[in-house]
Amino acid sequence: MALTRGRARTAPAAPSACFLLLLVLLLTSSSLLAPTSQGSEGRSILLGAASSSSGNGRGNSCEELPSISGGEARCAYLRAHSPCSPAGYVDYLRLFYCAFAGAPAAACAALALWLVVFFYLLGDTASEYFCASLEGLSAALRLPPAVAGVTLLSLGNGAPDVFASVVSFASGDGGGVGLSSALGGALFVSTVVAGVVALAVGGARGGVVVEWRGFVRDLCFLLLALCYLLAVLVNGEITVWVAVSFVSLYVGYVVLVWTSHCCAEKGKPDAASLSAPLLLDDDDDVVPSLPSHSKTTEAPGTATSRVRAMLHWLAGALCMPLYLPRRLTIPDIAGHRWSRPYAVASAALAPVLLAFTWTSSQRHNPMSSHSVAVLVGGALLGLLLALLAAATTDANSPPRGRRRRVPWLAAGFVMSVLWAYTLARELVALLVSIGYVVGIKPSVLGVTVLAWGDSLGDLVSNVAMAVHGGAGGAQTAVSGCYAGPLFNTVVGLGLSLALAAGAQHPAPFVVPADAAAYEAVGFLVAALAWALFVVPVRGMRIDRVYGVGLIAIYLCFFAVRVCETLGHWS
């Protein structure tokens, strides 16, 4: 992330050329030198799960796989049955048991490394591209800060959780991973992140006092949403109208925030600033330029500077396979990353990627005449947009003015959503496959590993804001520990349930609730009750008592999950 943020204009040319050359060589060698049988096996591994999504979206349930002993037997079973992991582009189970049959340690290391890469890509895509597009749209649409904070900002911060939840309900595992990850993430942020924030501000300052109206409002709305969700879990099924009413809770929350903010600002001299744009139309940057720390005090010819330059080049070359595909397909007009060649390339390749994603997700044959027509149409549209971008952009600065920025920002928003959705789909597929390999339920991995990975960004950003932002930063960090989980629970799960129920309308959708979901809801309610009791009693002060209690609640939840996983009780 630091490598992409710190670039003033474009990525270095040498790593880009090296990566493109390596990509061409790999594609050529794999198509010319691979034997026929191995080539078909490789194609089935890479496209097996995707072809499963073209059919019924689930494939075989793989319920018999854990009962089969021996890697060779499991490989034979996977070859004889359709892929059982959720819709994705890689069949990770066949990759583990067949491609790495003789090296299980290497297979485990590869899956773990790939899991870390997916977490990084999902978080980096959300922070670098998705949030930048949202901030730009907020400025272009002239949203007041109060509304932008509870809508676009919450969507930007909760994008990985929302995408993972929607993908899980839309893919083959029936939503178990999505439900567990959303509840696990809400519990982690409301306990561990909030507790660490309280410990950080409670040590040096003795705690900070927060505004009671916003604190109680956020906690009460989150409690209301959990009660609504608990009723749905107990009922066991949900219709599309009930799911839509669940999402409408957040609409009421936004209206309440807007009303309370307007009433609080009424009569003040700066009340008119609520309707002012966040950025002026003649600003050059939608996202403020970040400072560069590349300058050093060493002379250019010293050994230290040469070693540092070599390490910088090597790091850029290693990160290029993760950076370049997104940079070439996501339109980005941030001033500190503006590059006209990249802008023209993204205008040309974005429609092609959209067309490819659409054809690969359809039930018909991906190589049918309809799919070819869609791909050709995407290529022609990309060519027209590239010519238009080349004719209307400046090489030295991004587009100026709201009318010119909005199309670029909207395109960046759509493509960042597409990338995040694709990455989240692969992440869920990988987690389910890891669950089959290690013998752990995917819902348990969702409530722990996936929740931790998606919430690490909240932990780092909220703690940094609380420590370095003074009393106002601590207030914002504490509010984010409850407003974020409220958005992820209501909008993320509500939208996922609405889409799943709409696909089965008029029949209700069966909610995949298990013990992990009920336990997460119960411990989350306990954490909110602790916060509503301790903070007002201690004069609305966020201190160590409040933080230690929240962390203790999460440790109890984690202990329960470990005991159930180890089989000490069911």
Side-chain angles (χ1 to χ4, degrees), residues 318-332:
L318 292 177
C319 292
M320 193 54 58
L322 307 180
Y323 169 78
L324 192 60
R326 293 175 296 160
R327 192 70 171 92
L328 291 175
T329 54
I330 302 179
D332 186 9

Side-chain angles (χ1 to χ4, degrees), residues 57 72 197 200 214 255 319 356 368-369 443 446 489:
E72 296 182 359
V197 167
V255 172
C319 292
F356 173 77
S368 64
S369 58
S443 60
T489 302

Side-chain angles (χ1 to χ4, degrees), residues 41 45 70-76 79 93-108:
E41 176 69 20
I45 291 177
E72 296 182 359
R74 291 188 177 185
C75 177
R79 288 177 176 176
L93 288 177
R94 189 178 297 185
L95 185 67
F96 182 86
Y97 289 111
C98 298
F100 289 89
C108 293

Side-chain angles (χ1 to χ4, degrees), residues 170-321:
S171 61
D173 72 319
V177 175
L179 179 63
S180 300
S181 65
L183 293 176
L187 178 61
F188 184 85
V189 174
S190 300
T191 54
V192 176
V193 177
V196 173
V197 167
L199 294 178
V201 300
R205 311 178 205 168
V208 295
V209 178
V210 296
E211 194 266 329
W212 72 272
R213 288 187 180 89
F215 184 81
V216 175
R217 176 198 64 208
D218 295 343
L219 265 69
C220 289
F221 258 92
L222 186 53
L223 274 175
L224 177 62
L226 290 175
C227 293
Y228 197 114
L229 181 61
L230 184 60
V232 172
L233 295 179
V234 172
N235 186 51
E237 57 186 23
I238 187 173
T239 62
V240 62
W241 301 114
V242 175
V244 171
S245 65
F246 184 48
V247 178
S248 66
L249 288 177
Y250 200 81
V251 178
Y253 173 72
V254 173
V255 172
L256 180 60
V257 171
W258 164 260
T259 304
S260 60
H261 193 81
C262 290
C263 293
E265 295 290 336
K266 187 177 181 180
K268 292 185 179 182
D270 58 344
S273 63
L274 291 176
S275 59
L278 299 181
L279 294 175
L280 299 178
D281 289 346
D282 56 354
D283 287 341
D284 288 340
D285 297 336
V286 175
V287 180
S289 297
L290 299 179
S292 176
H293 302 282
S294 59
K295 294 182 179 181
T296 60
T297 59
E298 291 89 355
T302 61
T304 304
S305 63
R306 289 195 297 268
V307 172
R308 183 170 299 179
M310 183 178 299
L311 292 177
H312 184 76
W313 185 90
L314 181 60
L318 292 177
C319 292
M320 193 54 58

